[in-house]
Amino acid sequence: EVQLLESGGGLVQPGGSLRLSCAASGFIFNNYAMSWVRQAPGKGLEWVSIISGSDSNTYYADSVRGRFTVSRDNSKNTLYLQMNSLRAEDTAVYYCAKGASSAVAGRLNYWGQGTPVTVSS
Amino acid sequence: DIQMTQSPSSLSASVGDRVTITCRASQGITNYLAWYQQKPGKVPKLLIYAASTLQSGVPSRFSGSGSGTDFTLTISSLQPEDIATYYCQKYNSAPLTFGGGTKVEIK
């Protein structure tokens, strides 16, 4: 059974940093791309970033490029999102999601429960 | 970047009604289009991929169609458990942009 468990969310001041983690199980982790998707309170889904399965190609939404860094440790079956220079508009629930292939594209066929991030002073 | 536009943003229909949601891409994406369902307070769930392929376990009253720039999600007979917000997403290449969502309610 595929399981994705996010952690690391919380309250952070504007300009601060946070690192999210997503522990994966139930599939061969390095065979699949992984994405981060966020949802601000009462708003729709916003794709944030993707990292390929084994060669770690990465892509970012314009709204986070240069501030967020996605990475993965295939030996630990864990996905990360380092978030720097956080802004109030980054406040959201952050979901990790499994891609259907190793490429930096593809549908998202499994989602974690999400971890909330609040950026406020 | 390709933009994804959904319509309507919300709709209200009766149980048993046929419901149609549309999604338009600003450029052609062949059939690299997915639909997700997010029930209130829940995690998004993949419903349809490749524009028309039902994800395993999804009821057959859901169907998808389209290619290129225009896509449709249809619920053939709306059920109370279908109350949710539905999102389309392009996935041919990054960015994997979502549409703005369509909230479906029971009249």
Side-chain angles (χ1 to χ4, degrees):
Chain A
E1 178 193 6
V2 172
Q3 291 193 337
L4 300 170
L5 184 61
E6 302 94 337
S7 61
L11 174 64
V12 61
Q13 292 189 341
S17 297
L18 214 52
R19 189 176 85 153
L20 306 183
S21 300
C22 172
S25 61
F27 63 101
I28 301 174
F29 185 67
N30 64 338
N31 281 0
Y32 296 94
M34 298 292 295
S35 277
W36 288 98
V37 177
R38 69 184 181 183
Q39 187 168 34
K43 301 297 184 182
L45 301 175
E46 180 186 14
W47 175 82
V48 171
S49 181
I50 189 170
I51 184 167
S52 61
S54 54
D55 59 4
S56 293
N57 278 340
T58 59
Y59 287 89
Y60 299 92
D62 289 345
S63 58
V64 307
R65 187 177 296 116
R67 300 187 299 123
F68 290 11
T69 302
V70 63
S71 62
R72 62 192 299 160
D73 185 336
N74 288 340
S75 69
K76 295 182 178 179
N77 288 356
T78 302
L79 173 72
Y80 302 101
L81 185 67
Q82 178 67 43
M83 304 186 295
N84 298 331
S85 303
L86 283 161
R87 307 166 180 168
E89 54 265 36
D90 296 318
T91 294
V93 173
Y94 284 74
Y95 297 100
C96 72
K98 172 186 169 294
S101 75
S102 63
V104 282
R107 63 194 183 270
L108 305 176
N109 54 7
Y110 291 93
W111 296 60
Q113 291 300 308
T115 187
V117 172
T118 301
V119 183
S120 175
S121 55
Chain B
D1 292 344
I2 297 174
Q3 305 304 312
M4 305 300 293
T5 304
Q6 279 182 244
S7 61
S9 57
S10 65
L11 66 89
S12 181
S14 300
V15 172
D17 281 355
R18 183 181 184 88
V19 168
T20 300
I21 298 168
T22 64
C23 177
R24 175 164 289 176
S26 60
Q27 298 175 40
I29 57 171
T30 58
N31 69 336
Y32 291 98
L33 192 282
W35 290 97
Y36 300 86
Q37 176 193 60
Q38 187 178 31
K39 295 184 178 182
K42 301 297 186 183
V43 175
K45 167 188 163 184
L46 177 65
L47 277 185
I48 288 171
Y49 61 94
S52 61
T53 302
L54 251 61
Q55 177 73 350
S56 175
V58 173
S60 59
R61 62 180 179 274
F62 290 93
S63 65
S65 64
S67 69
T69 60
D70 294 312
F71 302 88
T72 299
L73 171 68
T74 299
I75 308 172
S76 61
S77 176
L78 186 68
Q79 300 302 304
E81 59 266 32
D82 300 334
I83 297 315
T85 301
Y86 295 85
Y87 297 92
C88 63
Q89 183 201 30
K90 63 166 281 282
Y91 63 85
N92 56 321
S93 63
L96 310 185
T97 309
F98 288 92
T102 297
K103 186 175 184 179
V104 175
E105 298 175 319
I106 296 287
K107 190 182 294 183

